[in-house]
Amino acid sequence: MECEVLENEIVYRGVADLNLGQTLDCGQSFRWEEQENGDFRGIAFDREITVRLKRGDLYIIGGKAEDNRLWSDYFDLDLDYGAIKRELSKLSPVLKSAAEYAPGIRILRQDSWEALCSFIISQNNNIPRIKGIIKRLCECFGDKTADGGYTFPSADKLSGLSVEDLSPLRSGFRAKYLIDASQRVSCGEISLDDVQKMPIDEARQSLMKIKGVGPKVAECALLYGMHRLECFPMDVWMKRAMAVLLPEFTIEDLGRYAGIAQQYIFHYSRMHPELFE
DNA sequence: ACCCAGGAAATTC
DNA sequence: GAATTTCATGGG
């Protein structure tokens, strides 16, 4: 990936297969805010930046030179999504259509702890409210950045809190799940870095030891927080979508990039609810 | 008032 | 074990 590192800005030249809205506002991440001019502003890994895509060049405004690798990893710039789309498109015309509908989706390499918490919060919830709870979580317990934003609170920080301390979040029954997750991660019972490297079924079992983490939340944490691209979160939308759009396919049929296929199908299905009436 | 929301735990059968 | 109910909260 060709890139240019400036003072307080990083530019990646000729980025293909990326659309900021499709990637940052498709339900895998909940903390990016679109600006009036189409830029996205947000915080990841405790760094607050503005992201701009212009004529195929990706600008990380506010990005420090030493974070060059961090941001190219975050946007998964080393993976050839064009090749993956061609591979998936050969499997089924439906997959081809879904990929063509949102060709700029990428799977972010988010912080594993933030992704785990985000999808614990996501259960039996809707996206606007998920965003609100996460925003309050950061404002109440994260650290203020130099630019006025708030970082995502660490497991160590949350592990020192009680369920009542989380009441300002208005997260309902999920508060006790967040505390349980923070304690298990903070004390070392579960190392997310270790889970990331485990065989996939072992990784799933480890995450599901956390209260409030079942098959779907574990799958999301693995796909969006640990870049396990074979993972395939099955929510109510995906069950309907698979039954109606790809009835003869199993997850295994979709191969090692099933998670990417899942994002194309999920987005396509959410945008075409009439298909399932 | 009623319904649902990128589910999982608790309870019941 | 598989099916049903409960769990908090907010928006439509």
Side-chain angles (χ1 to χ4, degrees), chain A residues 3 71 238:
Chain A
C3 84
W71 295 117
M238 287 307 300

Side-chain angles (χ1 to χ4, degrees), chain A residues 83-95:
Chain A
I84 292 168
K85 280 185 282 189
R86 286 191 290 278
E87 193 176 312
L88 291 172
S89 296
K90 282 190 276 187
L91 296 177
S92 154
V94 172
L95 267 174

Side-chain angles (χ1 to χ4, degrees), chain A residues 238-250:
Chain A
M238 287 307 300
K239 283 177 186 165
R240 276 185 300 214
M242 290 301 284
V244 174
L245 300 178
L246 296 167
E248 66 274 30
F249 277 80
T250 66

Side-chain angles (χ1 to χ4, degrees), chain A residues 141 161-169 175 179:
Chain A
F141 305 112
L161 302 175
S162 66
V163 172
E164 300 79 66
D165 292 328
L166 297 190
S167 58
L169 308 184
I179 296 296

Side-chain angles (χ1 to χ4, degrees), chain A residues 22-258:
Chain A
Q22 289 170 14
T23 294
L24 297 175
D25 198 21
C26 67
Q28 63 171 316
S29 169
F30 302 96
R31 291 237 291 152
W32 292 99
E33 287 183 20
E34 187 167 12
Q35 311 296 112
E36 297 74 14
N37 64 356
D39 290 353
F40 279 79
R41 184 152 185 85
I43 301 177
F45 295 99
D46 297 346
R47 294 148 169 89
E48 182 163 9
I49 56 163
T50 297
V51 188
R52 177 178 301 163
L53 187 60
K54 198 171 170 185
R55 290 190 291 273
D57 296 333
L58 178 65
Y59 296 77
I60 308 295
I61 301 160
K64 304 294 183 194
E66 62 268 27
D67 292 332
N68 173 20
R69 187 74 229 167
L70 177 94
W71 295 117
S72 90
D73 281 344
Y74 187 80
F75 288 97
D76 206 16
L77 298 185
D78 289 336
L79 189 58
D80 186 349
Y81 281 73
I84 292 168
K85 280 185 282 189
R86 286 191 290 278
E87 193 176 312
L88 291 172
S89 296
K90 282 190 276 187
L91 296 177
S92 154
V94 172
L95 267 174
K96 181 172 162 65
S97 301
E100 286 171 350
Y101 187 73
I105 291 180
R106 284 171 172 265
I107 306 291
L108 299 167
R109 289 182 191 258
Q110 299 182 71
D111 173 69
S112 54
W113 166 245
E114 177 172 340
L116 174 62
C117 290
S118 296
F119 285 96
I120 286 174
I121 292 167
S122 79
Q123 68 179 259
N124 195 31
N125 212 340
N126 56 65
I127 289 177
R129 189 162 171 259
I130 295 165
K131 287 181 177 175
I133 293 170
I134 293 173
K135 185 166 184 287
R136 293 188 288 277
L137 176 64
C138 295
E139 288 170 354
C140 289
F141 305 112
D143 296 321
K144 205 169 172 61
T145 69
D147 298 309
Y150 291 88
T151 65
F152 195 92
S154 66
D156 284 346
K157 177 68 184 271
L158 295 189
S159 69
L161 302 175
S162 66
V163 172
E164 300 79 66
D165 292 328
L166 297 190
S167 58
L169 308 184
R170 305 195 296 282
S171 59
F173 61 88
R174 306 165 192 84
K176 57 182 177 289
Y177 299 155
L178 292 174
I179 296 296
D180 185 69
S182 72
Q183 290 174 348
R184 290 181 199 264
V185 169
S186 175
C187 77
E189 179 193 340
I190 295 174
S191 160
L192 296 181
D193 289 339
D194 290 348
V195 170
Q196 183 154 13
K197 300 170 200 153
M198 287 176 185
I200 195 63
D201 282 316
E202 192 181 335
R204 288 181 176 115
Q205 292 309 315
S206 297
L207 290 174
M208 292 194 328
K209 287 193 292 188
I210 299 167
K211 289 194 181 66
V213 178
K216 196 272 181 179
V217 171
E219 212 71 357
C220 286
L222 285 163
L223 177 58
Y224 304 123
M226 306 186 195
H227 212 252
R228 298 295 292 261
L229 297 180
E230 71 271 44
C231 288
F232 195 94
M234 266 293 209
D235 67 348
V236 289
W237 285 92
M238 287 307 300
K239 283 177 186 165
R240 276 185 300 214
M242 290 301 284
V244 174
L245 300 178
L246 296 167
E248 66 274 30
F249 277 80
T250 66
I251 295 173
E252 291 72 37
D253 294 333
L254 298 175
R256 61 179 172 148
Y257 297 120

